[in-house]
Amino acid sequence: MLAEDDKALRDITALFFRKNGFEVDTAVNGDEACSCVDKNRYDIIILDIMMPGKDGKEVCRYIRKKYDVPVIFLTALGEENDIVNGYEVGADEYVTKPFSTKLLLVKVNALINRYHGLLVKNGRIVIDELEIEPARRYVTVNGREVVMAPKEYELLMYFIDNKNIALSRDKILDAIWGMDYEGYDRAVDTHVKKLRAALGSASRHIETVLKVGYMWKN
């Protein structure tokens, strides 16, 4: 479901996803979005924030009280406080306008795979003793909070989104640091080492793939 009050953007985005095999319902405001959510079961919900009636944040809070479904904010609000607040109210991803539809598609597929392929309960990803609350970027192992740097967290989520797939260092660099990164690919090893140390017993899910890179085994 796509909730967006800009008709041109709503139509273009919906058409793009339909061409990529999705069935798409659209809503023009927050109240209509809530009505759609109550009437249908969705794999993912994309919300503009600045909409008539209930805004996107209100809709997200409404969804989080009743349903376990991934939510992406798609908005022109791009300040750091806006983004942080977006995650705090329960968004799984935050995409700012203008945006790439291809990148949005990648994020949509990753979130759907995460929710379908893992145990997700009350917005938390549960993998044995590891629990993650993406909305708050909060991680625990055996109930103990795990503090990690932003890149380690992004690396953890990238591994989980691509579980059981051998990932080369170059691919990891492109995904986490961006294609313009000019450092060494061994930077990945350094961050994986830090991630393993942070995860403790849950680090057993990260396997080294000889002459390739790494794999999250789940």
Side-chain angles (χ1 to χ4, degrees):
M1 193 269 287
L2 168 65
E4 168 63 60
D5 65 331
D6 184 318
K7 184 179 186 306
L9 182 58
R10 183 176 66 247
D11 290 348
I12 290 172
T13 306
L15 178 61
F16 173 80
F17 276 93
R18 287 178 181 129
K19 286 184 176 179
N20 281 276
F22 286 80
E23 294 181 12
V24 183
D25 287 344
T26 58
V28 301
N29 56 53
D31 296 307
E32 188 174 331
C34 289
S35 178
C36 287
V37 171
D38 285 335
K39 293 176 181 177
N40 303 281
R41 182 175 180 178
Y42 295 108
D43 291 309
I44 195 158
I45 295 170
I46 301 175
L47 299 174
D48 184 19
I49 291 180
M50 296 183 291
M51 294 187 292
K54 291 185 176 69
D55 66 19
K57 292 178 182 179
E58 291 178 278
V59 176
C60 188
R61 291 190 188 99
Y62 179 81
I63 292 168
R64 284 288 169 254
K65 289 178 181 177
K66 303 178 71 174
Y67 308 104
D68 277 326
V69 57
V71 174
I72 295 179
F73 278 140
L74 183 63
T75 175
L77 299 175
E79 296 296 323
E80 182 179 7
N81 287 340
D82 295 320
I83 297 171
V84 170
N85 185 245
Y87 283 115
E88 287 176 344
V89 300
D92 295 278
E93 280 285 357
Y94 196 103
V95 178
T96 56
K97 303 173 183 176
F99 63 97
S100 161
T101 51
K102 290 183 179 179
L103 179 58
L104 181 59
L105 176 62
V106 169
K107 290 180 179 292
V108 163
N109 283 328
L111 277 174
I112 290 174
N113 288 338
R114 183 190 303 168
Y115 268 69
H116 283 193
L118 299 167
L119 173 59
V120 178
K121 184 177 181 181
N122 296 325
R124 302 193 317 275
I125 297 169
V126 182
I127 306 171
D128 299 327
E129 72 270 41
L130 172 66
E131 293 194 15
I132 305 166
E133 292 183 48
R136 294 197 296 147
R137 293 193 165 204
Y138 184 75
V139 181
T140 63
V141 175
N142 290 317
R144 174 184 61 83
E145 181 181 1
V146 176
V147 179
M148 60 182 69
K151 287 300 181 189
E152 274 81 71
Y153 177 84
E154 291 174 24
L155 185 60
L156 171 63
M157 298 309 293
Y158 181 67
F159 279 151
I160 291 172
D161 287 341
N162 294 275
K163 63 183 182 300
N164 302 321
I165 298 173
L167 301 167
S168 69
R169 291 178 177 84
D170 286 341
K171 190 169 184 179
I172 295 170
L173 281 174
D174 287 347
I176 306 300
W177 282 267
M179 298 183 68
D180 295 329
Y181 178 75
E182 297 180 352
Y184 298 102
D185 63 358
R186 291 297 171 178
V188 173
D189 297 336
T190 300
H191 285 275
V192 169
K193 183 178 180 180
K194 292 179 180 178
L195 178 59
R196 280 173 163 160
L199 292 178
S201 61
S203 67
R204 67 183 182 279
H205 291 284
I206 304 173
E207 294 189 359
T208 301
V209 182
L210 189 63
K211 296 183 180 180
V212 178
Y214 298 95
M215 179 190 297
W216 181 274
K217 292 288 288 184
N218 196 30

